[in-house]
Amino acid sequence: MPPLHDIDISAVTSKSYPILAQLRTALWPQDSYEAHLKDLIDLCDNHGMTAWLAYDSNGTAIGFLELSTRPYVNGCLYRPVAFIEGIYCAPNWQQSGLGTALVKVAEDWAKAEGIREIASDTYAENWAARHAHQKWGFQETETVTYFRKNLSK
């Protein structure tokens, strides 16, 4: 892989939604490209989500980070909270420092907005993601089990 200093991290615009939708499909393959594209339009245009794409020196998209601002996040001390909704590094860029660079961009954005904490989540059994978050300086706050009950019956 090329040196990390050869990457470009740029804010996502409506013109780059198709590129982001492709990478989202790699991270979350249970949803189609079309569904991801529709979600991006809604989340970015109507709900204030911001995102960044990382490109290698050839202009190939190699990663992304999506960030929202939430009024509250379990385990956080301050409000509002910047929340990493998704982060992805292409397989050959994992453990290269790309994730750290993407998180740093999100942290800088949050600080500029006057936000004092950034948070994220992952599945309890996703040990690789948990390790990555610890490497990025996150502290684990709590583990939660969600329940549901169908009320339409």
Side-chain angles (χ1 to χ4, degrees):
M1 93 190 59
L4 195 58
H5 67 269
D6 288 343
I7 65 161
D8 175 53
I9 298 176
S10 303
V12 168
T13 66
S14 59
K15 290 181 181 179
S16 54
Y17 289 172
I19 297 166
L20 180 52
Q22 288 176 339
L23 292 181
R24 283 175 122 236
T25 303
L27 179 60
W28 299 303
Q30 67 275 14
D31 293 320
S32 70
Y33 167 84
E34 292 77 14
H36 283 298
L37 188 57
K38 182 180 175 189
D39 283 348
L40 283 171
I41 293 166
D42 183 47
L43 292 169
C44 294
D45 293 352
N46 301 323
H47 297 286
M49 187 177 77
T50 190
W52 295 269
L53 280 164
Y55 298 91
D56 68 13
S57 60
N58 296 319
T60 302
I62 56 172
F64 75 86
L65 186 143
E66 296 178 351
L67 191 73
S68 68
T69 302
R70 294 187 178 186
Y72 172 79
V73 175
N74 290 355
C76 289
L77 303 175
Y78 303 100
R79 297 177 185 189
V81 179
F83 193 84
I84 298 174
E85 301 290 349
I87 184 168
Y88 172 79
C89 299
N92 58 330
W93 283 89
Q94 293 173 3
Q95 299 184 18
S96 70
L98 177 59
T100 301
L102 286 163
V103 170
K104 175 77 167 88
V105 168
E107 290 172 351
D108 290 346
W109 179 90
K111 288 177 188 176
E113 295 292 314
I115 297 172
R116 298 173 64 184
E117 279 185 299
I118 189 167
S120 183
D121 65 4
T122 190
Y123 292 108
E125 67 275 5
N126 188 341
W127 292 103
R130 290 173 73 170
H131 176 74
H133 281 80
Q134 290 170 349
K135 184 177 171 185
W136 299 328
F138 286 82
Q139 298 172 333
E140 189 171 326
T141 60
E142 57 188 69
T143 302
V144 176
T145 300
Y146 291 95
F147 296 90
R148 67 179 287 277
K149 182 178 181 180
N150 187 337
L151 299 177
S152 63
K153 293 182 180 181

